[in-house]
Amino acid sequence: MRSLNAWKWRQFWGRDARGKLRNVYEWLTSTRLPYVSFTLDPACPLRCNCCPWQSFSEAGKQLRMSRMSLDDFKHILSNIPRWVLIDFSGFGESATNPAMPDMLLWAYARGYRVQLFSTLVGLTRAGAAKLAKTKMCKFVVHMPDRTNFLYDADKWLVQLAFFDGLNFPTMVFGALGEVDPRILEQVSARGSVVPIGITDKRSLSDKESRWNDGPLKCRFAGKRLNQWAIWPNGDVSVCFFDYGHENVIGNLREQTYREISRGELLTEYRRRMLSDFGECLCRHCEESITQ
């Protein structure tokens, strides 16, 4: 009981919104704070070249998934402790679900820390106004480019303009390829350009392209594997790179976060990851680190 209480205290003091105390926690434990990443739409229309969207779309069709509703989101959120960061990105574009701004606002109003990774495609002016009512830990915007995320620059600039006049925190912009100069000009005018890289995930769909031997840990989630991806039907994948729905460890519509984190499926996955050659998604991922 004493060790459990100490763990809860570390979680509490690790919730600094600016990330300073959070980084101390990560340094002490060699892992990052837990979060869950919501996928709100099973049929992402973007078809980015840097994404194995075929695997994701096929899994959604086979399971007959539909967009996550606001009521379903509220129910799932009720099974997640408030010290868990709520991330809106998942396997596709969150903004194509019209209820996304209401979901993010609902989570923020109930004391959860929230963050958003988005291309802005699908976002409305009313949705942008709702997002401006929150203080997100992070808002990363993926800009269109000429090789990976192909999208009409004029349309995208219209959606970027939805944030004009709003008292909104600084957004971080990133891209994989060459960006249209008009977009760079508009983004630079906002004084919020930070050079970041968007991960190319295509290799995840080709399991023969990479193999990592030995006991592993994740560059993002360490050995605890406490950064999960939630599908629209509530299924929980052990990782936000599980585009094929092959590493499900529970369902947050039917189970609590605590039940899944202590469940047999996650325990077995960890056992295979910490073994020398046990088959798991981490064996094929460039973010895996040999211990």
Side-chain angles (χ1 to χ4, degrees):
M1 181 62 70
R2 185 176 180 180
S3 61
L4 177 60
N5 288 336
W7 180 73
K8 287 184 177 179
W9 274 110
R10 288 201 302 271
Q11 294 289 356
F12 176 81
W13 290 112
R15 287 186 296 171
D16 179 71
R18 296 182 180 180
K20 295 181 180 179
L21 292 178
R22 180 185 179 192
N23 289 338
V24 170
Y25 174 86
E26 293 172 357
W27 178 74
L28 288 174
T29 61
S30 299
T31 186
R32 300 193 181 188
L33 285 179
Y35 76 76
V36 291
S37 181
F38 278 86
T39 298
L40 305 181
D41 192 342
C44 182
L46 299 182
R47 305 295 189 259
C48 296
N49 291 329
C50 58
C51 172
W53 55 266
Q54 296 94 335
S55 300
F56 166 60
S57 298
E58 184 61 30
K61 289 179 181 178
Q62 290 182 358
L63 295 169
R64 298 181 179 179
M65 292 186 198
S66 58
R67 286 176 175 172
M68 184 180 292
S69 68
L70 179 58
D71 288 338
D72 282 343
F73 176 80
K74 292 178 180 179
H75 175 69
I76 291 173
L77 195 67
S78 68
N79 287 326
I80 302 173
R82 282 186 172 82
W83 43 261
V84 176
L85 176 67
I86 305 301
D87 169 81
F88 292 83
S89 60
F91 303 116
E93 174 50 64
S94 298
T96 57
N97 186 325
M100 182 274 287
D102 292 307
M103 295 175 183
L104 195 148
L105 189 58
W106 176 272
Y108 175 76
R110 274 143 191 82
Y112 291 90
R113 293 181 304 115
V114 294
Q115 66 184 26
L116 173 63
F117 290 73
S118 175
T119 64
L120 304 183
V121 176
L123 188 67
T124 64
R125 187 179 298 275
K130 291 178 181 178
L131 296 180
K133 296 179 181 179
T134 69
K135 294 181 179 180
M136 288 186 249
C137 298
K138 187 183 295 183
F139 185 4
V140 179
V141 179
H142 186 172
M143 298 182 290
D145 63 74
R146 293 175 176 172
T147 53
N148 292 283
F149 167 32
L150 306 176
Y151 192 72
D152 185 275
D154 292 324
K155 290 183 179 180
W156 194 84
L157 286 171
V158 169
Q159 294 183 286
L160 180 64
F162 290 161
F163 295 97
D164 291 347
L166 297 176
N167 183 18
F168 203 79
T170 301
M171 294 181 284
V172 177
F173 294 87
L176 261 178
E178 182 183 359
V179 180
D180 189 301
R182 293 174 297 166
I183 291 179
L184 290 177
E185 180 181 0
Q186 291 298 317
V187 169
S188 300
R190 288 164 167 76
S192 56
V193 179
V194 178
I196 63 169
I198 306 296
T199 304
D200 189 331
K201 306 166 186 169
R202 285 171 292 185
S203 61
L204 295 169
S205 59
D206 181 10
K207 291 188 176 181
E208 302 300 325
S209 64
R210 186 181 183 90
W211 177 268
N212 302 309
D213 287 333
L216 304 173
K217 67 178 180 180
C218 176
R219 193 185 307 273
F220 296 111
K223 294 182 289 186
R224 296 184 62 183
L225 300 179
N226 54 9
Q227 298 185 1
W228 304 341
I230 303 177
W231 293 74
N233 65 350
D235 282 349
V236 179
S237 281
V238 71
C239 173
F240 44 83
F241 287 163
D242 184 27
Y243 278 76
H245 193 266
E246 299 173 344
N247 300 272
V248 175
I249 57 174
N251 188 294
L252 274 169
R253 293 180 64 178
E254 303 167 356
Q255 299 169 274
T256 66
Y257 183 95
R258 183 185 182 92
E259 290 171 342
I260 295 175
S261 63
R262 298 187 174 189
E264 294 181 3
L265 293 175
L266 181 56
T267 300
E268 170 59 20
Y269 187 94
R270 285 199 192 103
R271 185 194 67 77
R272 286 183 274 121
M273 182 189 73
L274 296 173
S275 67
D276 289 328
F277 305 105
E279 171 61 32
C280 61
L281 179 63
C282 304
R283 298 281 171 210
H284 313 280
C285 182
E286 63 182 11
E287 304 299 342
S288 293
I289 305 173
T290 302
Q291 299 189 52

